[in-house]
Amino acid sequence: MMQPVTAPRSLKEKQRQEREELILQAAEEVLTEKGYYDTSVDEIASRVGIAKGTVYLHFPSKEDLVIAILERNAQKLVDIVEATVASGSTNREKLESILLVVYSGFFDPRISHLMQLPYFVVNSSELRRVFVEKKGCMRDKWDRMEALIASILEDGKAAGEFDKTLPTPIMSSAFFSLLSPRSFERLNANEQIPLDEFVKQLGRFYFKGIAAV
Amino acid sequence: MMQPVTAPRSLKEKQRQEREELILQAAEEVLTEKGYYDTSVDEIASRVGIAKGTVYLHFPSKEDLVIAILERNAQKLVDIVEATVASGSTNREKLESILLVVYSGFFDPRISHLMQLPYFVVNSSELRRVFVEKKGCMRDKWDRMEALIASILEDGKAAGEFDKTLPTPIMSSAFFSLLSPRSFERLNANEQIPLDEFVKQLGRFYFKGIAAV
Amino acid sequence: MMQPVTAPRSLKEKQRQEREELILQAAEEVLTEKGYYDTSVDEIASRVGIAKGTVYLHFPSKEDLVIAILERNAQKLVDIVEATVASGSTNREKLESILLVVYSGFFDPRISHLMQLPYFVVNSSELRRVFVEKKGCMRDKWDRMEALIASILEDGKAAGEFDKTLPTPIMSSAFFSLLSPRSFERLNANEQIPLDEFVKQLGRFYFKGIAAV
Amino acid sequence: MMQPVTAPRSLKEKQRQEREELILQAAEEVLTEKGYYDTSVDEIASRVGIAKGTVYLHFPSKEDLVIAILERNAQKLVDIVEATVASGSTNREKLESILLVVYSGFFDPRISHLMQLPYFVVNSSELRRVFVEKKGCMRDKWDRMEALIASILEDGKAAGEFDKTLPTPIMSSAFFSLLSPRSFERLNANEQIPLDEFVKQLGRFYFKGIAAV
DNA sequence: GATGAATGAGAATTCATTCAT
DNA sequence: TATGAATGAATTCTCATTCAT
């Protein structure tokens, strides 16, 4: 009662947070390596060095754990994209830097997961159902990113940089499609193109495609 | 009397083919709904209205069944794309018609699966291993499609239609990225854009992006 | 009615018998190679070159098929032993020749099965139950052989050749124990002893053991 | 306080050992009753009163469980035989006491399994493969027993007790053949001979058979 | 809180047996 | 009569989840 509201509590709480973070990291790791079904709670726990049961003190189910990861990643992505956008001056620069950051992230494990993981995970009736139910969380963030891109595009149109006759949704949709690092992965497997060259040319193509006439 | 010699044989064989077709269809259905791991052989069988064991008379394992579906789909896709390309006259028309046929197929269940299924299925360490081993089959077909697109793009460059300074791999990679009907699905969920309008604008954007200067 | 009792009937019947014989042979072959559970009706049928269902026209179940084989083998063994005994003149010669014929048979596939098969097959609750029930058939033959051996031993005792103070059941039991070619198999794997030398020495040992004092 | 340091550890460990022992016992029981193939992991578990999955916490597979039983039994048998041999003074006494202990064990379930189980189990192509691979374990112990018997026989020969002209392998092979309690089982079913009388007479026969001339 | 042993539903696969053709 | 496709019970093994310690 007289206790400081956050002191002893928050010590425990901090430890708790740290452990949860470790679980999330380990889970993300295994998940990316093996996909949803080949990831066992056992392996996650043993990578963290804790017991299986402890995982369940933090997340009510394997499913919830995975959802938590995806949500967190979605948030991270939004943050990165928003920060990136803020750093660009022109509308084109803003979009270019998003392109660059996402593709660079392909080799930066802290970022590459953000785009890759959903592909690895989404394929399960269980999880898909959740995505629909959790619209409030996951979907929200995705929508926010789309809105951000759309606003940049609209700004560009208003400024006469981008083609007014091309519907913004098409522009935005194309932009997202080009963002998937899978294209580059496949490309890179066959012909060795340096990443920055790839991104540069992709940008050239994209901005020519949406350029005002 | 006038019957082909293979009559009695082919009767049995025809029934066998029909049943196999039913299994493949049911499996494809469940697979698309639920993904590889949540699809049980039991459910496939019961959708066809046969016993579990019967499935194993046609396919030695669940894995083989899925592989068969993917291979068949890859072949169908190649066939469709090749036929589509043949029907176009200019290089642009050829690519435009591929775009159209793939997106139209989105609502034609016989075609929509072709592009969607691999995404749902590929995410399992088991199956991914198979894809590497089966390179001779699956990968071959995919490579063939890429080669086809690339050759159209090269022709276009030679003819002065497309931008010679843009590397063909980038053009081709971008083209494939835009092909994924997922973009449209997401788009369509939010804003109601008619499919043909979507494809038309996407084509406009793409060809402006790769147009010769 | 007026038909010859055995003519058209017996043609069919003969073919039937022949086929049954083929089935029995194939089954015995596979059974010896793989044991009861690893032998599938499918494989038996395909070795004969007939359909699985046809096997069931001859034998109501896999179990019955195996029982039939064992019974037939028991009969063959009895026949061989009885013929062998008849050919010997002294009691010792009679037993010696049984020893020899059984061990020689170890390399004669037509005989080796007779002693080996029961060991391969008997280990299944199903079959053991049957052995008890079918006492009338299998057991009978075995008993008959034991009686035959016992009578030779009794004769030998009466003739003053064998030890009267050694109970016949012990003599007979020991004789049967020594008959199992498995001992020789194991022995032969380690140290290379020629079969006839083995049998000779085994006989020497046995007859010294039961010799009259 | 006075407790050994290993207390808490060893409590868990002890329980684990106890449960494992129960599983081994139940498995041995069912195995002896039904043979390898008719023994299901389910039944073993339900005899112990635990869930199927729990069996797999102790043994990675049904096969491993059975191997564990056989190895343990082989070890027990070796131990018993070695102890028995040590207690005898003359070479004859040593062999006699082995005979006695194995046959007595026929009614002592803790011992009878040792000789019976291999016969019930070995007949499965699966397991036979394992026996070859695991030569280092199972076979080793069997070889050790054979070596022990052989050395007793050799000693007896050197001491002038046993027949020098009879090859040791034949003597040893005959001894092992006579050891199989199956002979007695059959005998006992027909004529009621007391066990110790049986063993006494069998010994008389055997030692007369190998006696020096 | 943390643990990890125990659970048991569920999945893939096999194969003796049946029966329509 | 012969066939072999179809059946489905049974088996092994896995793993998310629970709960007594």
Side-chain angles (χ1 to χ4, degrees):
Chain A
M1 217 190 270
M2 277 297 117
Q3 272 178 15
V5 185
T6 47
R9 256 292 135 120
S10 79
L11 176 63
K12 286 254 173 185
E13 188 53 28
K14 203 180 128 200
Q15 288 181 335
R16 191 189 156 75
Q17 291 290 342
E18 281 169 8
R19 169 157 301 179
E20 194 158 307
E21 180 56 31
L22 288 176
I23 294 173
L24 286 166
Q25 276 169 24
E28 189 167 0
E29 211 179 284
V30 192
L31 230 42
T32 311
E33 276 173 36
K34 312 201 172 180
Y36 184 69
Y37 278 95
D38 292 320
T39 294
S40 73
V41 177
D42 243 333
E43 176 159 9
I44 295 170
S46 83
R47 286 214 194 180
V48 182
I50 59 178
K52 209 186 339 189
T54 308
V55 174
Y56 284 87
L57 296 177
H58 291 263
F59 303 94
S61 75
K62 181 183 171 186
E63 192 182 291
D64 287 272
L65 169 53
V66 174
I67 297 296
I69 292 172
L70 293 176
E71 281 182 353
R72 202 178 59 151
N73 283 357
Q75 185 57 55
K76 276 191 196 167
L77 193 59
V78 168
D79 291 347
I80 289 175
V81 167
E82 287 184 341
T84 304
V85 164
S87 74
S89 53
T90 70
N91 290 307
R92 172 167 178 158
E93 268 176 28
K94 287 173 182 172
L95 294 177
E96 270 178 336
S97 53
I98 292 175
L99 218 53
L100 188 62
V101 88
V102 166
Y103 274 96
S104 315
F106 185 64
F107 294 123
D108 175 352
R110 283 169 310 171
I111 300 186
S112 78
H113 285 160
L114 306 187
M115 291 296 290
Q116 280 181 75
L117 201 52
Y119 285 93
F120 277 85
V121 152
V122 133
N123 299 4
S124 103
S125 51
E126 257 176 76
L127 286 187
R128 238 172 325 153
R129 178 178 45 69
V130 173
F131 274 121
V132 175
E133 291 167 4
K134 284 262 182 177
K135 197 177 279 197
C137 264
M138 284 297 298
R139 190 84 193 201
D140 252 23
K141 276 151 199 161
W142 206 251
D143 287 351
R144 218 162 113 194
M145 272 192 50
E146 291 197 319
L148 184 59
I149 303 298
S151 79
I152 299 173
L153 290 167
E154 299 282 2
D155 285 356
K157 279 183 180 177
E161 296 171 48
F162 304 150
D163 185 350
K164 288 193 183 74
T165 67
L166 203 57
T168 307
I170 271 64
M171 288 177 168
S172 146
S173 169
F175 187 75
F176 276 101
S177 292
L178 297 178
L179 270 187
S180 165
R182 291 209 167 255
S183 323
F184 177 66
E185 190 180 24
R186 215 172 46 233
L187 204 58
N188 197 247
N190 298 339
E191 343 199 6
Q192 299 299 330
I193 298 186
L195 181 69
D196 48 2
E197 176 66 13
F198 180 83
V199 174
K200 196 185 116 197
Q201 296 289 357
L202 203 61
R204 248 190 75 204
F205 154 74
Y206 182 71
F207 292 107
K208 198 169 106 196
I210 66 167
V213 268
Chain B
M1 222 189 267
M2 277 295 120
Q3 269 179 16
V5 186
T6 48
R9 262 285 138 125
S10 77
L11 176 64
K12 286 253 169 181
E13 189 50 29
K14 207 180 120 197
Q15 288 180 335
R16 191 190 156 74
Q17 294 288 345
E18 281 169 7
R19 165 134 325 170
E20 193 157 312
E21 181 57 33
L22 288 177
I23 294 172
L24 285 166
Q25 276 168 25
E28 191 167 358
E29 209 180 285
V30 192
L31 230 43
T32 312
E33 276 172 37
K34 311 201 170 181
Y36 184 68
Y37 280 100
D38 287 318
T39 294
S40 76
V41 176
D42 244 334
E43 175 158 11
I44 294 171
S46 82
R47 285 215 195 179
V48 183
I50 59 179
K52 212 181 341 182
T54 307
V55 174
Y56 285 89
L57 295 178
H58 293 262
F59 303 94
S61 73
K62 180 184 170 186
E63 193 182 290
D64 286 272
L65 169 53
V66 174
I67 296 296
I69 292 173
L70 293 176
E71 280 183 353
R72 201 178 61 151
N73 282 358
Q75 185 58 55
K76 275 192 197 167
L77 192 59
V78 168
D79 291 347
I80 289 176
V81 167
E82 288 185 340
T84 302
V85 163
S87 74
S89 53
T90 70
N91 289 307
R92 172 167 179 161
E93 269 177 28
K94 286 174 182 172
L95 295 177
E96 271 177 336
S97 53
I98 291 175
L99 219 53
L100 188 62
V101 88
V102 167
Y103 274 96
S104 316
F106 185 64
F107 293 126
D108 175 352
R110 283 169 310 172
I111 300 185
S112 77
H113 285 159
L114 306 186
M115 290 297 290
Q116 281 181 73
L117 201 51
Y119 285 94
F120 277 86
V121 153
V122 135
N123 298 9
S124 98
S125 42
E126 238 178 273
L127 284 188
R128 233 163 335 147
R129 177 180 46 69
V130 173
F131 273 120
V132 174
E133 292 167 4
K134 282 263 181 180
K135 196 179 280 199
C137 264
M138 285 297 300
R139 188 84 192 202
D140 252 23
K141 277 154 198 160
W142 205 251
D143 288 351
R144 223 164 110 194
M145 274 193 47
E146 291 196 318
L148 184 60
I149 302 299
S151 80
I152 298 173
L153 291 167
E154 300 281 2
D155 286 355
K157 281 182 179 178
E161 295 171 52
F162 303 150
D163 185 350
K164 289 193 180 74
T165 67
L166 202 57
T168 306
I170 270 72
M171 288 177 167
S172 144
S173 171
F175 187 75
F176 275 101
S177 291
L178 298 179
L179 269 187
S180 166
R182 290 203 170 261
S183 323
F184 177 67
E185 189 180 23
R186 216 167 49 227
L187 204 58
N188 197 245
N190 297 340
E191 343 200 5
Q192 298 300 329
I193 297 186
L195 182 68
D196 49 2
E197 177 64 15
F198 179 84
V199 174
K200 199 186 112 195
Q201 297 290 356
L202 203 61
R204 250 191 73 205
F205 153 73
Y206 182 72
F207 292 106
K208 199 169 109 197
I210 67 169
V213 269
Chain C
M1 216 190 268
M2 278 297 117
Q3 272 178 16
V5 185
T6 48
R9 254 295 131 123
S10 78
L11 176 62
K12 287 255 173 183
E13 188 53 30
K14 204 180 125 199
Q15 289 181 334
R16 192 189 156 75
Q17 292 289 344
E18 283 170 6
R19 168 157 303 180
E20 194 158 308
E21 180 57 32
L22 289 176
I23 294 173
L24 286 165
Q25 276 169 26
E28 189 168 0
E29 213 178 283
V30 194
L31 230 42
T32 312
E33 277 172 36
K34 312 200 172 179
Y36 185 68
Y37 278 95
D38 291 320
T39 294
S40 73
V41 177
D42 242 333
E43 176 160 8
I44 294 170
S46 85
R47 286 214 195 181
V48 183
I50 60 178
K52 208 183 345 184
T54 308
V55 173
Y56 284 87
L57 296 177
H58 292 262
F59 303 94
S61 75
K62 181 184 172 186
E63 191 183 291
D64 287 272
L65 170 53
V66 174
I67 297 295
I69 291 172
L70 293 176
E71 280 183 353
R72 201 177 61 150
N73 283 357
Q75 185 56 55
K76 276 191 195 168
L77 193 60
V78 168
D79 291 348
I80 289 175
V81 167
E82 287 184 341
T84 303
V85 163
S87 74
S89 53
T90 71
N91 289 308
R92 172 168 178 158
E93 270 175 26
K94 286 174 181 171
L95 294 176
E96 271 178 335
S97 53
I98 292 175
L99 219 52
L100 188 61
V101 88
V102 166
Y103 274 96
S104 317
F106 186 63
F107 293 124
D108 175 352
R110 282 169 313 171
I111 300 185
S112 78
H113 284 159
L114 307 187
M115 291 296 291
Q116 281 182 73
L117 201 51
Y119 286 93
F120 277 85
V121 153
V122 133
N123 300 5
S124 102
S125 51
E126 258 177 74
L127 284 188
R128 239 175 322 158
R129 177 177 46 68
V130 173
F131 274 122
V132 174
E133 290 167 5
K134 283 264 183 177
K135 198 178 278 199
C137 264
M138 285 297 298
R139 190 84 193 200
D140 253 22
K141 275 152 199 160
W142 206 252
D143 288 350
R144 222 163 110 193
M145 273 192 49
E146 291 197 319
L148 184 58
I149 302 299
S151 79
I152 298 174
L153 290 167
E154 298 283 4
D155 286 357
K157 280 182 179 177
E161 296 171 50
F162 303 150
D163 185 349
K164 289 194 182 72
T165 67
L166 203 57
T168 307
I170 269 72
M171 288 177 167
S172 145
S173 172
F175 187 75
F176 274 101
S177 291
L178 298 178
L179 270 188
S180 165
R182 291 206 170 256
S183 323
F184 176 68
E185 191 179 23
R186 215 168 49 229
L187 204 58
N188 197 245
N190 297 340
E191 342 200 6
Q192 298 299 329
I193 298 186
L195 182 69
D196 48 2
E197 177 65 13
F198 180 84
V199 173
K200 199 186 111 195
Q201 297 289 358
L202 203 62
R204 249 190 74 204
F205 154 74
Y206 181 72
F207 292 109
K208 198 168 108 198
I210 67 169
V213 268
Chain D
M1 220 187 270
M2 278 295 120
Q3 269 178 21
V5 186
T6 48
R9 258 288 138 124
S10 78
L11 175 64
K12 286 252 171 183
E13 189 51 29
K14 206 180 122 198
Q15 289 181 335
R16 191 191 157 74
Q17 293 287 345
E18 280 170 8
R19 167 138 317 175
E20 193 157 311
E21 182 56 33
L22 289 178
I23 293 173
L24 285 166
Q25 276 168 25
E28 191 167 358
E29 208 180 285
V30 193
L31 229 43
T32 313
E33 275 173 39
K34 312 202 170 181
Y36 184 68
Y37 281 100
D38 287 317
T39 294
S40 75
V41 176
D42 245 334
E43 175 158 9
I44 294 171
S46 82
R47 285 215 194 179
V48 182
I50 59 179
K52 210 181 344 181
T54 307
V55 173
Y56 285 90
L57 293 179
H58 293 262
F59 302 94
S61 73
K62 181 184 169 184
E63 194 182 289
D64 287 272
L65 170 53
V66 174
I67 296 296
I69 292 173
L70 293 176
E71 280 183 353
R72 202 177 61 150
N73 283 357
Q75 186 56 56
K76 275 191 196 167
L77 193 59
V78 168
D79 291 348
I80 289 175
V81 166
E82 287 184 341
T84 303
V85 163
S87 73
S89 52
T90 71
N91 290 308
R92 174 168 176 157
E93 270 176 26
K94 286 173 181 171
L95 295 176
E96 271 178 336
S97 53
I98 292 175
L99 219 53
L100 188 61
V101 87
V102 166
Y103 274 96
S104 316
F106 185 64
F107 292 124
D108 175 352
R110 282 168 312 169
I111 301 185
S112 77
H113 284 159
L114 305 187
M115 290 296 290
Q116 281 180 75
L117 201 51
Y119 285 93
F120 277 86
V121 153
V122 134
N123 298 9
S124 100
S125 41
E126 239 178 272
L127 285 188
R128 229 154 348 138
R129 177 181 45 69
V130 174
F131 274 120
V132 174
E133 292 166 5
K134 283 264 180 177
K135 195 178 282 198
C137 263
M138 286 297 300
R139 188 85 194 201
D140 252 23
K141 276 153 198 160
W142 206 251
D143 287 350
R144 221 162 112 193
M145 274 193 47
E146 291 197 320
L148 184 60
I149 303 298
S151 78
I152 299 174
L153 290 167
E154 299 281 3
D155 286 356
K157 280 183 179 178
E161 297 170 49
F162 303 150
D163 184 350
K164 289 193 182 74
T165 67
L166 203 57
T168 307
I170 270 70
M171 289 176 166
S172 144
S173 171
F175 187 75
F176 274 102
S177 291
L178 297 179
L179 269 188
S180 166
R182 292 206 167 260
S183 323
F184 177 67
E185 189 179 25
R186 218 167 48 228
L187 204 58
N188 197 247
N190 297 339
E191 344 199 5
Q192 298 299 330
I193 298 185
L195 181 68
D196 48 2
E197 177 64 13
F198 180 84
V199 173
K200 198 185 113 197
Q201 296 290 356
L202 202 62
R204 249 192 73 205
F205 154 75
Y206 182 71
F207 291 108
K208 199 169 105 197
I210 67 168
V213 268

